[in-house]
Amino acid sequence: MTERSRARSPIVTRTRIARTLASGVVVLTAACNEPFRPPAGFESPSPGDVLDLAVGERLTVNAGDVPGGFELRGVPESRSYLFIVHDSRSSAGGTNQVRFHTSRIPTSLSTAPSPGDAARRVGRSVGSGDPDDPFAGWYDGGEDRFRSGVRRDLTARGVRAAGRGGAGGPAVRASVASSVPVSGELIDFGSPVEIDGSLATCTSSTRVTGRVRAVGERFAIVEDTLVTGYLSDADFAELLDEIETVAWPVDSTYFGTPQDIDGNGRVIAFMTGEVNRLGAAGFFTSSDLAVADDCPTSNEGEVLWLLAPDPARMHGFDPIPTDLIRQRIAGVVAHELQHLIHLQRRVYEAGGDLDSADLPWMNEGLSHIAEEVAGFYVAGRRTGQNYALEDMADSEVRTRFARYHLNDFRFMREYFEDTAGVPVLIDGPVTRGELQKARGFGYLFLRWLADRYATGGPQGIVASTAEESFFRDLTIGGAGLRQSVENILGALAAIGVSVTWEELFGEYVANPPLDDALDPAFGLDDVYGIPSWNLPAAYEAAADNGFELDFPNGFPLRPKLILLPTIPVAGFDEDFDLDPSTAAYFRLEAAFETPLTRVHVTRPDGLPFAPGSGIRVTVVRTL
């Protein structure tokens, strides 16, 4: 076990002494060998104060409380600061328009500004990934449209959940599905997909016949009889082994155990051209938990719908190579199984209805945690070990990355490239690509949250039992079926962490850009970053080992770079919008000599933000 994996406390040791700014703002440091904790925030500096942070120290204030702006001390040395402007509102609605203004204050140390722009944006990843990957289109917005359509149709029909029972759990319905599937037998399914590929949740007349190809203790794999001939008995046996030994233990440990409302003792993994025709990678539909009298297409059971091999493009818009199914489908099962467990626990354990699932960013974030943990589990790795994908040159490791981590890294890329425009808290349809950013945020935020707060207890399958319990609590949302921010804060309260969303989000925002970015000599790797990942190194390793189309420029989170000596006295402005729970990043840097610099965060008209706007500023000195 590495030093980093042994202790993830935000407390480190440094040799510093306490000092006080002109305004009385105390910068908390410590004497030799005493613990130092970078503070979450201070009282606000008053106009004219000079902000003189040590490396790794952090200041967080409400933007409206600093009308005079921040002044960075002029010194004859290199310095670098990370400024993060973040919108700490905890509910959807409205956009804050922001201006980030920097100006150089002439002093005896100042030199004339160098020619050129005061700010430049470093290279960003602009690649959209492999254009031939059919998974990309589905996750780019197709899945959100599908889930929104199902939700709309079920709500309009007033659909009830099938198999509700009393205190002992859901009742087992009497039907032909009540017996354990037998290899080779045929099963009839109702499909929510029309013959033209459109979604008709409860009104589709499409019926599909599947043949049972493999039966295990927890799963039965069924193959659409119209897509046979591509996968062998050995392929089905291998897939069954993977999902039985990886997806089941991971998902049941982290999220809970599926119900068995159809009484067959198995989750059906149905590989069918219906998914291809919908343009999907795979899905779980809540309509399969509906009473069939209310929703005739319901299969009243636990069914995961999976993409089928289709090299000749007979059943969908894109050819689906058989090797793609072999390599990727086990990860899809881990992802979709969380969705099934998520809704079933909220319906059958907490008494909710078929519209009880958490908001998309949380529900999808949990499913991406399922993929990640499955990848760690099959690789024999544990969380908190700063994984950098060091062995990506090995073909088996590349396959595992594609199966369990590739989607997570793609969605983080989308989030990192537009951290200010993520529709995190929206409950409802979003435009094409927006859900990808919300997925990336949801996954990364949940991973950081567990690494930071859910670390106690004995070892579990890849992390502590505290982490496992924490995710199970998030899945069900407590007795009140909590959602989104309320769900996060409730789950933290259950483990003894009392915090507001403003404080929590303010703590989080500095971590992604500083992951493994500070000089190790400062001993701050346990203060900032994502403990389970070395994200910059992992992105580089992926790009160097077969995924250059997805990650052409390495780590995608590139704060806007402002070179302090080049700022004109009149200043430099950057205007942008922030939605609730989003952030914009700026790196202010000087080599050899740092001029006295003023930074203002205001509205575009130059006026300060009013109380309650939610706009906060975090400053971290990084060099």
Side-chain angles (χ1 to χ4, degrees):
M1 182 175 294
T2 65
E3 180 67 24
R4 182 164 185 170
S5 65
R6 283 199 298 268
R8 295 304 316 177
S9 166
I11 299 176
V12 297
T13 299
R14 290 187 50 205
T15 303
R16 296 287 298 162
I17 57 174
R19 52 190 168 78
T20 305
L21 297 183
S23 64
V25 177
V26 178
V27 180
L28 299 180
T29 60
C32 183
N33 296 323
E34 292 182 4
F36 161 70
R37 183 190 299 270
F42 302 98
E43 296 177 2
S44 303
S46 59
D49 287 333
V50 177
L51 189 63
D52 187 18
L53 301 177
V55 174
E57 288 180 338
R58 177 176 58 205
L59 169 69
T60 297
V61 295
N62 294 316
D65 292 342
V66 197
F70 306 87
E71 288 187 8
L72 305 181
R73 182 184 178 194
V75 292
E77 64 183 28
S78 301
R79 287 199 174 182
S80 179
Y81 299 86
L82 178 67
F83 272 76
I84 309 165
V85 185
H86 43 107
D87 189 325
S88 63
R89 289 175 295 164
S90 60
S91 59
T95 296
N96 272 312
Q97 296 179 317
V98 184
R99 170 165 293 172
F100 188 85
H101 174 85
T102 53
S103 58
R104 185 174 51 83
I105 303 173
T107 68
S108 59
L109 283 174
S110 299
T111 58
S114 302
D117 294 333
R120 61 182 175 88
R121 191 178 302 274
V122 297
R124 290 174 177 261
S125 172
V126 296
S128 58
D130 185 350
D132 296 324
D133 187 344
F135 286 73
W138 174 243
Y139 289 129
D140 192 32
E143 183 174 14
D144 177 59
R145 291 190 294 273
F146 165 75
R147 295 194 190 284
S148 298
V150 171
R151 179 181 179 182
R152 181 181 59 249
D153 293 349
L154 295 185
T155 300
R157 297 174 70 90
V159 169
R160 299 164 292 168
R164 281 192 183 274
V172 175
R173 70 183 182 93
S175 73
V176 294
S178 294
S179 59
V180 176
V182 176
S183 184
E185 76 173 334
L186 300 176
I187 298 178
D188 177 68
F189 293 87
S191 171
V193 185
E194 287 282 27
I195 192 66
D196 63 357
S198 62
L199 178 68
T201 307
C202 292
T203 58
S204 170
S205 59
T206 306
R207 307 297 299 185
V208 187
T209 300
R211 185 181 302 278
V212 179
R213 296 299 306 266
V215 181
E217 183 179 354
R218 304 295 187 181
F219 288 90
I221 302 178
V222 180
E223 180 186 39
D224 187 334
T225 56
L226 297 180
V227 296
T228 59
Y230 297 107
L231 295 173
S232 66
D233 290 343
D235 290 326
F236 285 110
E238 184 176 342
L239 174 59
L240 179 65
D241 179 68
E242 180 97 6
I243 62 179
E244 290 262 331
T245 60
V246 178
W248 180 271
V250 165
D251 281 50
S252 60
T253 299
Y254 263 68
F255 311 111
T257 305
Q259 306 291 333
D260 187 24
I261 64 172
D262 53 13
N264 64 15
R266 309 293 186 278
V267 174
I268 300 295
F270 186 28
M271 302 179 69
T272 171
E274 297 297 288
V275 177
N276 302 49
R277 291 196 297 110
L278 190 64
F283 60 82
F284 156 72
T285 171
S286 53
S287 62
D288 275 337
L289 303 184
V291 173
D293 287 346
D294 295 344
C295 183
T297 63
S298 173
N299 293 292
E300 291 191 297
E302 293 78 17
V303 182
L304 306 181
W305 296 71
L306 306 175
L307 193 70
D310 184 20
R313 201 172 60 182
M314 300 293 292
H315 302 281
F317 299 104
D318 299 303
I320 308 299
T322 305
D323 281 346
L324 180 74
I325 300 299
R326 293 190 182 104
Q327 292 175 3
R328 303 279 293 278
I329 209 69
V332 177
V333 171
H335 180 108
E336 299 301 335
L337 184 59
Q338 188 284 138
H339 288 313
L340 167 65
I341 295 169
H342 182 102
L343 184 59
Q344 282 201 319
R345 292 194 65 201
R346 287 176 173 243
V347 171
Y348 299 112
E349 295 182 37
D353 57 26
L354 294 178
D355 193 26
S356 297
D358 207 332
L359 297 193
W361 79 270
M362 274 288 293
N363 195 356
E364 296 297 342
L366 289 168
S367 279
H368 290 297
I369 288 289
E371 293 181 70
E372 177 216 54
V373 174
F376 284 162
Y377 183 65
V378 75
R381 288 188 172 270
R382 302 192 64 78
T383 60
Q385 292 187 339
N386 205 32
Y387 190 24
L389 299 176
E390 302 92 341
D391 46 4
M392 276 284 282
D394 183 277
S395 62
E396 291 186 12
V397 177
R398 288 198 303 274
T399 297
R400 275 202 306 269
F401 177 80
R403 182 171 295 165
Y404 294 114
H405 300 300
L406 177 58
N407 281 333
D408 295 348
F409 272 66
R410 281 176 169 171
F411 302 143
M412 282 193 292
R413 181 199 69 196
E414 297 295 328
Y415 162 54
F416 288 152
E417 290 177 346
D418 187 16
T419 57
V422 184
V424 172
L425 306 175
I426 293 177
D427 182 13
V430 293
T431 61
R432 177 178 174 83
E434 286 185 329
L435 185 61
Q436 281 189 307
K437 293 181 284 188
R439 286 173 184 270
F441 167 81
Y443 159 66
L444 186 64
F445 181 81
L446 290 176
R447 170 41 59 207
W448 168 81
L449 195 66
D451 284 350
R452 172 69 175 87
Y453 288 108
T455 58
Q459 289 192 351
I461 57 174
V462 301
S464 69
T465 53
E467 176 171 307
E468 298 168 354
S469 177
F470 181 67
F471 280 111
R472 287 196 301 272
D473 193 8
L474 289 174
T475 302
I476 195 170
L481 294 168
R482 302 181 305 256
Q483 292 196 336
S484 192
V485 169
E486 181 187 359
N487 194 10
I488 293 284
L489 299 182
L492 287 173
I495 59 175
V497 178
S498 178
V499 66
T500 66
W501 180 254
E502 180 182 73
E503 293 167 339
L504 189 66
F505 189 71
E507 181 184 6
Y508 159 77
V509 290
N511 289 271
L514 295 180
D515 186 50
D516 292 276
L518 294 175
D519 189 327
F522 293 115
L524 294 170
D525 58 336
D526 284 327
V527 179
Y528 299 109
I530 310 298
S532 288
W533 289 97
N534 181 331
L535 289 175
Y539 271 98
E540 291 290 347
D544 290 341
N545 289 276
F547 299 95
E548 63 278 359
L549 288 175
D550 293 282
F551 317 118
N553 296 321
F555 188 41
L557 181 50
R558 308 289 182 88
K560 182 153 192 173
L561 178 61
I562 299 176
L563 301 175
L564 297 179
T566 69
I567 298 173
V569 174
F572 169 81
D573 292 334
E574 175 81 6
D575 292 344
F576 53 94
D577 296 338
L578 285 178
D579 292 328
S581 295
T582 63
Y585 294 90
F586 300 86
R587 181 157 58 94
L588 278 58
E589 188 172 281
F592 307 114
E593 179 181 302
T594 302
L596 181 64
T597 305
R598 177 165 290 155
V599 178
H600 286 87
V601 177
T602 67
R603 295 175 2 186
D605 58 10
L607 295 176
F609 284 100
S613 67
I615 297 298
R616 307 187 86 202
V617 183
T618 290
V619 188
V620 182
R621 184 179 160 197
T622 58
L623 177 66

